[in-house]
Amino acid sequence: SEMCIRDSIKIFYQPVVRTLTGKLCGMEALARWEDPERGRLTPDMFVPVLEDAKLIYKLDSYVVEQVGKRLHTMEDSGMPVLPISVNLSSADFDHVDPLDVVERVVRKYRLPRSYIRIEITESALVKDGKKLQREIDRFRKAGYQCWMDDFGSGYSSFNVLQNFHFDELKIDMEFLAHFTEKAKSVIESTVRMAKKIGVQTLAEGVETKEQLDFLKSIGCEKIQGYYFGKPMPYDNVVERIKEQHWVTETREMAQYYDAAGREDFLTNCPFALLEDDGTKFRYLFVNNEFMKSLATAGTTSTDMSEHTINDNASPLSHLFRNFANEIAESGKEQVLTYTSKNQYMRLRCKTIASCGNKHIHRAELINVTFNSDQRQQDMLDGLVRSIYYLYNTVFIINFDENSCNPIVASASSWEFLHQKTYGLEEVRLSYARQNIHPDDQERFLEFVRLDNMEQRIEDSPEGMIADYFRTKGADGNFTWDVHTIISIPKTNGKVFLYTAKLSPLDDETLRKHVFKEYIKDDKPELKTAENKAE
Ligand code: C2E
Ligand code: MG
Ligand code: MG
């Protein structure tokens, strides 16, 4: 029978595609029996027969060997190696040690274990759960990903999910075959639950664009099906890569996109994933809520939005570029408020994956114009828009409300003030403590003294007060920034605009300036501050 298998079995490969990118990210090895008389037989005709005859292990061992060889030639050809999954039957474990079979092949061809994935069907688990769980654990401990095949085809799928440890669920194609609302909601909740327990998802049997769009919208990470390709001989896969420009994913890229795939796409927030190659942004994913947010500021498509944020001639693009660099460097969630078509938009971002120069940012976009007090908004419109791109920090200080409202803020100031905050005295102290150089703090605290702020501004010839302080920037280093406070007209001296930006003066001039200010105010701290600055 060994001779027989070798002569009759052909291995076909079916492409697996990553939903986010449309790139080829793997293949499944599927056996075909070439019978001289009856032609090509599909597995449903011979797998059960081989199982009954207790010969299935021969087929599966042969497939594993061929897959190893194939991976080896792929590596030699210099193209990115696509991981290949193989199907194991429960009966395999009765006759051989499949882990040992796979390990031998991996050693023989010197392959990383991540190249071979193990598929075991849900029905096998239901039947031989105890035995298989041990074996699956052994595979996983040895470094192989194990996938549960045909998930949802049995009656106790969710029990199986609870009791077994898997890396990926392959959702049975039955659900897509009957693409009803009910089937959709089962798929959706499966994906949601899988994400919760850290398991990846793949949908089998994708045949239409409509199915693909649905699966993408719910964050199902991979798809396999006739829409992309039937199982085919390896040469045909290569042909498609060459002729139909199928793009294959490198292993680094796989890890990078896996990280993005772990995000919960089923949120009610306006949610998007943006890919950033260091110079340009591209949407990987956008949900409906995000589109609605964009639309409130007149942006009606992702193309249009990409155009704006990538247009070097627009000041907005520079704002986004700096912001993106900041979040990628800090690794923290940060917020940027900007104006577009008279709307105030608040963008909350975090970098969730990086690979070389490439990053994926998770973004949440809210139009805050709607949420804030209209009267204050009108007042601010004229003022803020013009100074928008000049300042790293713009706060509204409101004495009536005893509140401080960040309008524009640098990374470091958002950390302590990312939303309207009540209690001006506390904001004053924490801002000084967290964002101002220790040597400048005392001076700063005088500058932002609340009890005489109105008076000082009124007394000043320019109608504003300004001073220079070493201020913490996004990178955690201090720069000399010029801070100004002006009174907003028609607010009876109750509302002030606070701004800060990088000082245009050089260090020398700055120190003289700071020094002079001290003489004028005749502060005893002068000497210490000056000594330390020198
Ligand atoms: P599977 O592992 O769930 O494999 C996917 C099956 O779905 C394949 O059938 C594939 O041709 C089919 N398929 C994929 N996309 C579509 C689609 O869009 N529409 C439709 N209608 N069908 C699609 P295939 O190749 O006939 O394999 C049937 C089953 O036989 C496999 O199900 C697998 O469990 C088993 N099998 C295949 N090769 C082997 C093997 O080497 N060893 C073992 N033990 N079982 C194997
Ligand atoms: Mg399979
Ligand atoms: Mg399957």
Side-chain angles (χ1 to χ4, degrees):
S1 63
E2 224 135 320
M3 273 314 289
C4 174
I5 282 179
R6 196 156 303 154
D7 295 337
S8 323
I9 294 293
K10 292 272 164 312
I11 307 207
F12 276 36
Y13 294 92
Q14 188 174 28
V16 175
V17 170
R18 190 178 295 275
T19 325
L20 267 183
T21 59
K23 287 182 185 164
L24 200 57
C25 66
M27 299 189 288
E28 176 172 6
L30 295 161
R32 297 288 177 267
W33 189 294
E34 307 277 355
D35 189 275
E37 277 141 44
R38 293 192 290 168
R40 179 175 299 152
L41 308 181
T42 50
D44 52 312
M45 302 170 81
F46 59 85
V47 166
V49 179
L50 290 174
E51 281 177 344
D52 284 347
K54 310 202 183 313
L55 291 171
I56 188 71
Y57 75 93
K58 296 207 171 179
L59 170 74
D60 288 342
S61 305
Y62 178 71
V63 173
V64 168
E65 161 70 25
Q66 292 300 301
V67 162
K69 201 165 164 185
R70 176 58 65 207
L71 287 162
H72 183 69
T73 54
M74 254 195 264
E75 239 180 1
D76 274 357
S77 76
M79 68 176 242
V81 179
L82 292 164
I84 298 176
S85 60
V86 295
N87 295 280
L88 295 185
S89 285
S90 168
D92 291 339
F93 297 90
D94 300 335
H95 303 282
V96 281
D97 176 4
L99 174 58
D100 185 53
V101 172
V102 176
E103 284 279 272
R104 278 167 198 267
V105 167
V106 158
R107 273 198 300 274
K108 177 171 170 192
Y109 295 108
R110 287 195 227 100
L111 303 168
R113 294 189 173 92
S114 60
Y115 284 180
I116 299 181
R117 274 98 202 252
I118 308 299
E119 293 191 15
I120 293 176
T121 61
E122 184 196 289
S123 53
L125 286 170
V126 173
K127 217 169 103 239
D128 298 308
K130 277 224 170 72
K131 173 181 84 183
L132 288 180
Q133 182 57 61
R134 256 197 329 270
E135 301 295 340
I136 292 162
D137 286 345
R138 284 179 66 223
F139 265 107
R140 295 187 77 225
K141 273 210 193 87
Y144 297 94
Q145 278 196 19
C146 290
W147 294 1
M148 192 193 298
D149 204 356
D150 301 342
F151 178 79
S153 62
Y155 296 102
S156 49
S157 305
F158 289 94
N159 289 341
V160 171
L161 195 57
Q162 266 195 343
N163 297 335
F164 297 94
H165 306 295
F166 276 91
D167 301 285
E168 185 161 305
L169 284 186
K170 296 188 77 167
I171 300 168
D172 195 63
M173 67 181 89
E174 271 301 296
F175 291 107
L176 289 182
H178 313 281
F179 196 44
T180 58
E181 285 310 309
K182 195 172 165 201
K184 281 193 202 174
S185 67
V186 172
I187 297 176
E188 190 179 310
S189 52
T190 305
V191 169
R192 188 190 295 259
M193 195 173 48
K195 277 190 204 291
K196 279 223 176 83
I197 58 175
V199 173
Q200 301 192 319
T201 46
L202 181 157
E204 291 190 273
V206 179
E207 294 183 355
T208 66
K209 172 92 169 42
E210 188 196 359
Q211 294 171 337
L212 165 64
D213 289 343
F214 166 73
L215 292 161
K216 184 167 181 177
S217 78
I218 61 167
C220 180
E221 292 158 83
K222 297 174 188 171
I223 40 187
Q224 183 180 344
Y226 295 171
Y227 185 72
F228 286 98
K230 296 192 173 181
M232 61 188 94
Y234 181 71
D235 289 346
N236 293 26
V237 175
V238 174
E239 210 175 275
R240 300 261 189 128
I241 290 173
K242 287 199 182 121
E243 278 162 23
Q244 293 184 14
H245 309 290
W246 276 4
V247 183
T248 55
E249 191 175 87
T250 62
R251 286 207 292 151
E252 295 79 36
M253 279 306 179
Q255 282 179 357
Y256 165 79
Y257 288 119
D258 278 349
R262 280 192 282 274
E263 288 293 312
D264 180 12
F265 289 59
L266 291 163
T267 158
N268 295 323
C269 303
F271 165 74
L273 292 178
L274 264 172
E275 183 157 59
D276 169 11
D277 67 4
T279 48
K280 286 229 169 335
F281 299 99
R282 185 172 69 95
Y283 284 101
L284 285 178
F285 178 83
V286 189
N287 74 1
N288 280 338
E289 293 302 311
F290 195 93
M291 287 312 298
K292 281 189 211 155
S293 278
L294 276 178
T296 62
T299 306
T300 51
S301 72
T302 49
D303 281 353
M304 195 171 154
S305 171
E306 280 177 7
H307 186 81
T308 317
I309 57 186
N310 289 323
D311 178 8
N312 284 333
S314 101
L316 262 184
S317 79
H318 297 283
L319 197 69
F320 287 128
R321 171 50 47 213
N322 292 338
F323 181 62
N325 293 349
E326 269 180 32
I327 55 170
E329 260 169 50
S330 71
K332 288 184 194 149
E333 179 177 279
Q334 291 181 23
V335 183
L336 174 77
T337 313
Y338 64 93
T339 55
S340 173
K341 296 266 159 57
N342 293 342
Q343 301 296 307
Y344 291 89
M345 306 302 290
R346 185 166 292 177
L347 181 68
R348 193 180 290 274
C349 269
K350 186 175 192 303
T351 304
I352 54 167
S354 300
C355 178
N357 288 336
K358 284 181 118 154
H359 305 285
I360 299 173
H361 312 298
R362 177 195 217 286
E364 194 189 298
L365 183 70
I366 296 173
N367 185 325
V368 287
T369 323
F370 300 139
N371 308 339
S372 42
D373 175 31
Q374 193 54 46
R375 223 170 42 102
Q376 191 183 48
Q377 218 57 65
D378 290 344
M379 201 165 64
L380 292 179
D381 267 3
L383 273 171
V384 173
R385 223 183 317 282
S386 55
I387 57 174
Y388 222 86
Y389 304 108
L390 298 174
Y391 294 97
N392 350 348
T393 303
V394 178
F395 293 156
I396 303 295
I397 300 174
N398 188 324
F399 277 83
D400 272 343
E401 284 185 351
N402 189 27
S403 74
C404 182
N405 196 7
I407 303 296
V408 181
S410 69
S412 53
S413 29
W414 275 114
E415 270 172 31
F416 84 98
L417 198 70
H418 54 276
Q419 60 193 22
K420 189 166 177 179
T421 304
Y422 295 87
L424 281 172
E425 183 57 22
E426 227 150 86
V427 171
R428 167 178 174 264
L429 294 173
S430 63
Y431 189 84
R433 197 166 52 237
Q434 293 183 42
N435 284 57
I436 303 296
H437 191 280
D439 294 349
D440 293 347
Q441 278 180 11
E442 258 175 299
R443 215 157 47 74
F444 178 81
L445 285 169
E446 276 305 310
F447 177 70
V448 291
R449 246 178 81 172
L450 299 170
D451 57 356
N452 61 7
M453 188 177 283
E454 187 189 350
Q455 197 57 49
R456 283 184 289 140
I457 292 171
E458 209 170 278
D459 291 348
S460 67
E462 301 95 348
M464 70 169 203
I465 50 176
D467 207 344
Y468 299 84
F469 304 100
R470 278 160 287 186
T471 311
K472 201 188 264 175
D475 56 3
N477 295 326
F478 289 97
T479 52
W480 280 103
D481 284 11
V482 55
H483 294 237
T484 61
I485 309 175
I486 64 173
S487 167
I488 296 181
K490 300 194 203 115
T491 63
N492 295 325
K494 291 299 179 205
V495 186
F496 298 89
L497 189 70
Y498 190 102
T499 68
K501 67 168 182 177
L502 201 64
S503 160
L505 305 180
D506 61 65
D507 263 26
E508 187 66 19
T509 321
L510 273 168
R511 281 182 187 156
K512 273 189 197 137
H513 175 91
V514 172
F515 177 66
K516 193 182 89 220
E517 287 296 304
Y518 265 114
I519 302 253
K520 206 167 74 191
D521 289 349
D522 197 21
K523 293 260 157 37
E525 306 93 301
L526 160 68
K527 263 220 125 72
T528 20
E530 185 212 4
N531 287 345
K532 278 181 194 161
E534 290 301 311

